[in-house]
Amino acid sequence: MTDKNLQVLLRRRPQGAPVPEDFEVVETAIPTPGPGQVLVRAHFLSLDPYMRGRMSDAKSYAKPVALGAVMEGATVGEVVTSNDPSFKPGDVVMGGQGWQRFCVMDAARLRKVDTSVAPLSAYLGLLGMPGLTAWVGLEDIGTPKAGETVVVSAASGAVGQVVGQLAKARGCRVVGIAGGAAKCDFVVKELGFDACLDHRQPLDPQLDAACPDGIDVYWENVGGHVQEAVFPRFNDFGRMVMCGMIAQYNIAPGADAAGAPPGPNLGPVVRKRLRIQGFIVSDTGWGRYDAFLAEMTPLIAERRMRWREDVADGLAAAPRAFIGLLQGENFGKLVVRIG
Ligand SMILES: NC(=O)c1ccc[n+]([C@@H]2O[C@H](COP(=O)([O-])OP(=O)(O)OC[C@H]3O[C@@H](n4cnc5c(N)ncnc54)[C@H](OP(=O)(O)O)[C@@H]3O)[C@@H](O)[C@H]2O)c1
């Protein structure tokens, strides 16, 4: 066994887009579990857009990562030693051990995973927080009905892939929006969306052609010019699932308007009786994980739920990969193979 731990720390708070110097990779001793605790070796780390928020000390729904602390993040891995009867060495688990190879965790914060349903790394995407986000947002806010038109931004990404395929399974017409021809091809040919529009090309004519009956549900992952183009095309009683607005994450609060992306005119919200609602998956999601798994498992077995991962190699590659995620460089759910 490697006798050192490897960790990625937050060295300083980014101004605008993060840069590699905001992180520090260090070697430390492997920690020892206390009573009721488990030592876990991570095999994969999830990189997710919310981590940009944790790097900032602006007021938010979750506490920031402290300077000098290990970056926060979900992992999947293997139990090395256990001081809790519910886990034994070799058990395969998911948890939130952060950007590090080894971590001591309270047993109550770990969940065993079944790799016969999907490979281990899928528990960071399809069957992890992003997939659960897709399911919760559709169940609670999007409520898509057969025959409705559902538009999904960042459609080839971790959340977008699952949103679109769940909406297809519920009988909707599903239109993705993604950056570039390769991502759009994947979304239609591999994931089975009805169409996918390239947001690097003018969106208005593409939306007119792909959504002749207007839009009933818009799943918002990006904001900016994509939101601006989608918004006027809502049907009466449309629902906008405010999942995230990644186009704004690198813009400092209080930055001048010239640096801000465009936003929609919200006037039609009243006239069209739209429902716009934000949510955070951790509010209710993990308590409903079994119901989520019950819907996803047969879809995976029937190959009606496909997914794509973008794998960075080695923990030291995590900062660069994360910086790329905030610029659309990932193609599929971004994970790090820790090695
Ligand atoms: N509310 C919740 O509980 C919750 C939970 C999980 C995730 N989220 C949010 O869901 C969204 C998607 O997350 P994800 O994990 O699935 O990420 P992802 O889609 O796998 O990756 C991010 C994608 O966003 C697009 N993007 C990046 N920078 C952009 C920019 N400046 N302007 C426009 N598009 C940009 C890129 O796709 P293209 O190249 O296709 O543009 C990029 O590949 C994020 O906003 C995230 O914060 C919310």
Side-chain angles (χ1 to χ4, degrees):
M1 183 170 92
T2 317
D3 59 357
K4 284 278 178 204
N5 197 4
L6 195 67
Q7 301 180 313
V8 182
L9 312 180
L10 177 63
R11 187 163 150 204
R12 63 180 191 198
R13 303 209 183 277
Q15 302 300 314
V19 294
E21 294 72 28
D22 297 330
F23 304 89
E24 186 174 8
V25 182
V26 295
E27 271 194 352
T28 55
I30 297 173
T32 308
Q37 291 188 319
V38 174
L39 176 68
V40 182
R41 180 185 179 128
H43 291 312
F44 290 94
L45 162 72
S46 181
L47 293 180
D48 299 279
Y50 76 82
M51 294 166 174
R52 177 64 185 85
R54 302 292 195 278
M55 297 177 81
S56 158
D57 57 6
K59 195 168 187 298
S60 184
Y61 63 92
K63 277 195 199 151
V65 173
L67 289 178
V70 176
M71 281 289 297
E72 190 176 316
T75 48
V76 285
E78 186 181 337
V79 172
V80 181
T81 50
S82 172
N83 290 338
D84 186 276
S86 45
F87 292 97
K88 59 178 187 325
D91 279 347
V92 182
V93 292
M94 63 197 284
Q97 74 177 65
W99 297 26
Q100 56 186 337
R101 189 185 280 146
F102 291 97
C103 181
V104 161
M105 295 195 64
D106 292 340
R109 294 180 54 223
L110 287 172
R111 176 187 286 267
K112 284 185 201 167
V113 303
D114 179 355
T115 51
S116 70
V117 176
L120 182 59
S121 56
Y123 284 87
L124 296 177
L126 184 73
L127 293 175
M129 180 277 287
L132 184 64
T133 300
W135 184 81
V136 167
L138 284 180
E139 285 282 302
D140 294 355
I141 304 168
T143 59
K145 291 165 200 67
E148 288 190 326
T149 298
V150 176
V151 172
V152 188
S153 58
S156 72
V159 175
Q161 296 184 51
V162 184
V163 171
Q165 293 180 90
L166 282 176
K168 273 305 291 179
R170 292 173 192 195
C172 298
R173 173 173 171 75
V174 179
V175 176
I177 300 178
K183 288 185 177 180
C184 287
D185 260 19
F186 164 75
V187 164
V188 173
K189 292 181 185 153
E190 288 293 319
L191 303 183
F193 287 31
D194 296 286
C196 186
L197 319 180
D198 182 354
H199 69 74
R200 296 186 194 152
Q201 306 299 326
L203 268 177
D204 286 323
Q206 296 183 78
L207 280 164
D208 283 343
C211 307
D213 300 326
I215 296 169
D216 301 295
V217 178
Y218 173 48
W219 185 285
E220 177 60 289
N221 277 330
V222 303
H225 73 287
V226 175
Q227 187 183 88
E228 188 179 48
V230 166
F231 205 76
R233 293 176 166 81
F234 264 118
N235 292 328
D236 292 355
F237 303 105
R239 284 88 69 202
M240 181 156 160
V241 187
M242 293 292 281
C243 179
M245 294 208 283
I246 196 168
Q248 299 184 350
Y249 292 177
N250 283 333
I251 296 169
D256 74 48
N265 168 4
L266 294 182
V269 171
V270 176
R271 185 165 42 83
K272 295 188 178 181
R273 285 86 89 206
L274 304 186
R275 183 172 174 198
I276 298 178
Q277 189 178 329
F279 73 109
I280 300 294
V281 62
S282 52
D283 290 345
T284 65
W286 292 108
R288 297 152 73 194
Y289 188 80
D290 290 344
F292 159 69
L293 208 54
E295 183 163 346
M296 293 291 278
T297 302
L299 290 175
I300 294 170
E302 291 160 18
R303 296 189 57 74
R304 292 169 66 206
M305 183 63 67
R306 293 165 181 250
W307 69 99
R308 178 179 174 124
E309 286 174 354
D310 191 334
V311 184
D313 256 312
L315 196 56
R320 285 256 175 224
F322 176 65
I323 291 165
L325 173 74
L326 298 170
Q327 293 162 3
E329 285 172 15
N330 65 306
F331 186 170
K333 167 64 191 136
L334 182 59
V335 298
V336 177
R337 185 187 290 114
I338 294 187

